[in-house]
Amino acid sequence: MSRAKRRLLWMPLLALLVGGCSSFGKERKEEPDEYADWTAERFYTEAKQALMEKRYDKAVKLYEKLEARFPFGKYATQAQLDVAYAYYKNDEPDSAVAATDRFIKLNPTHPNVDYAYYLKALVNYNRGISFLDRFLPTDPSQRDPGSALDAYKEFEELINRFPNSRYVDDSRQRIIALRNNLAMYEMHVADFYMRREAYLAAARRCAEVLRKYQRTQAVPLALKTMERAYRKLGMNDLADDAARVYAANYAQGVPGPARELVREPSVVERLWNFIGLED
């Protein structure tokens, strides 16, 4: 094919491409920026107002624009901390944790850095709590313990780094709750093993509770379950040891909240048993 003929074949295609690019350029006409003349102070004020009014999406957007446009201004540092809280309230835990980590890394000596540590721990403490959990009675010890373990370590880090922080007392109370929940999670697993006749695995879970979670409400339950497991295994000496420890420590009965401790099966487990899938 001659060069002239090839040019004739390419010309219609070239015309289409040029026309398409031209129309694409028209479609991409930029919309006017409503924040073009905003000052850093206005961004911060409007974001704070949105946060107070629980318009968390709006608050996040404004804080991010503030930091992007005025990264070295006096409001930018506070915006880094406030946007973490906005993410937390907007149920975006991963973004909230990332924002607190970033604040801690960039501002290790900031006077409010203890709040960043506290907020990070609080995010993981409440992670996984659904809308229904806030209104219906649920057992937090039956949730995945991963986030609880993270929160436990983070509250401890806050207490160790900032012993005079205003958030220490609350952190200590939350650590107590976390220890109880983590211990009871181990007992839910031990109960699962007992019902499936995996007695050695159940005894090991109970031993883990006694080793790691002393002075929690799960300890007397662990001793009783351990005794039952060892009886089933024919290890009567170990079962007698568990019974003696229980008798020595709880001769007057189980103290405090553990007295009313009842492990209820989850909704899924009750449905499973009702349908009869185990059989």
Side-chain angles (χ1 to χ4, degrees), residues 40 55 140 245 269 279:
R55 295 183 292 127
V245 174
E269 185 179 348
D279 299 333

Side-chain angles (χ1 to χ4, degrees), residues 93-112:
D94 291 334
S95 295
V97 169
T100 56
D101 283 339
R102 181 168 176 266
F103 182 88
I104 291 168
K105 182 178 180 179
L106 296 176
N107 309 280
T109 60
H110 192 279
N112 294 328

Side-chain angles (χ1 to χ4, degrees), residues 238-263:
L238 293 175
D240 291 341
D241 289 341
R244 277 194 294 270
V245 174
Y246 182 91
N249 288 277
Y250 305 104
Q252 305 302 320
V254 179
R259 188 181 300 117
E260 306 298 329
L261 191 60
V262 177
R263 289 174 289 109

Side-chain angles (χ1 to χ4, degrees), residues 10 20 38 71 81 92 110 125 158 193 228:
W10 277 102
W38 281 34
L81 198 55
E92 298 181 66
H110 192 279
Y125 182 87
L158 167 65
Y193 286 138
R228 286 172 47 221

Side-chain angles (χ1 to χ4, degrees), residues 33 35 43 60-70:
D33 184 358
Y35 307 109
F43 270 115
V60 166
K61 180 179 179 180
L62 292 175
Y63 282 128
E64 288 178 343
K65 284 188 174 293
L66 165 58
E67 191 178 357
R69 296 194 181 190
F70 304 95

Side-chain angles (χ1 to χ4, degrees), residues 14-114:
L14 183 61
L16 286 173
L17 290 173
V18 171
C21 291
S22 176
S23 61
F24 181 71
K26 292 177 182 178
E27 290 175 1
R28 290 192 59 191
K29 185 177 180 180
E30 293 185 1
E31 296 180 1
D33 184 358
E34 61 177 303
Y35 307 109
D37 59 347
W38 281 34
T39 63
E41 183 178 4
R42 184 176 179 186
F43 270 115
Y44 185 77
T45 302
E46 294 286 344
K48 198 72 173 177
Q49 185 65 31
L51 194 61
M52 293 174 62
E53 294 173 356
K54 299 182 180 181
R55 295 183 292 127
Y56 302 121
D57 280 330
K58 183 70 171 180
V60 166
K61 180 179 179 180
L62 292 175
Y63 282 128
E64 288 178 343
K65 284 188 174 293
L66 165 58
E67 191 178 357
R69 296 194 181 190
F70 304 95
F72 306 109
K74 65 178 183 178
Y75 296 103
T77 302
Q78 187 61 40
Q80 294 170 9
L81 198 55
D82 289 351
V83 76
Y85 179 75
Y87 279 130
Y88 165 57
K89 297 299 289 183
N90 204 39
D91 197 22
E92 298 181 66
D94 291 334
S95 295
V97 169
T100 56
D101 283 339
R102 181 168 176 266
F103 182 88
I104 291 168
K105 182 178 180 179
L106 296 176
N107 309 280
T109 60
H110 192 279
N112 294 328
V113 72
D114 60 330

Side-chain angles (χ1 to χ4, degrees), residues 128-239:
I129 298 178
S130 68
F131 177 80
L132 290 177
D133 289 332
R134 301 179 189 277
F135 298 97
L136 298 177
T138 60
D139 183 356
S141 68
Q142 295 194 33
R143 300 192 191 108
D144 185 343
S147 296
L149 286 168
D150 289 339
Y152 186 95
K153 295 173 184 176
E154 289 153 4
F155 281 126
E156 279 198 326
E157 183 177 12
L158 167 65
I159 292 170
N160 292 331
R161 284 178 176 268
F162 309 98
N164 299 318
S165 170
R166 59 186 292 191
Y167 305 107
V168 163
D169 289 342
D170 183 74
S171 296
R172 288 198 175 105
Q173 293 301 313
R174 292 182 187 274
I175 282 177
I176 292 172
L178 286 167
R179 278 175 54 82
N180 280 317
N181 288 341
L182 290 168
M184 280 306 303
Y185 176 83
E186 294 294 330
M187 291 312 305
H188 285 302
V189 177
D191 180 64
F192 173 86
Y193 286 138
M194 288 294 291
R195 286 184 284 109
R196 282 155 181 76
E197 300 181 3
Y199 302 121
L200 183 58
R204 286 173 175 170
R205 286 285 180 165
C206 294
E208 191 74 358
V209 170
L210 299 178
R211 184 177 69 85
K212 293 174 62 176
Y213 301 110
Q214 297 178 22
R215 296 187 298 278
T216 66
Q217 61 186 10
V219 167
L221 190 59
L223 288 167
K224 278 294 186 184
T225 304
M226 180 181 282
E227 180 187 357
R228 286 172 47 221
Y230 283 138
R231 297 280 183 217
K232 292 288 187 179
L233 290 167
M235 299 178 174
N236 291 322
D237 289 344
L238 293 175

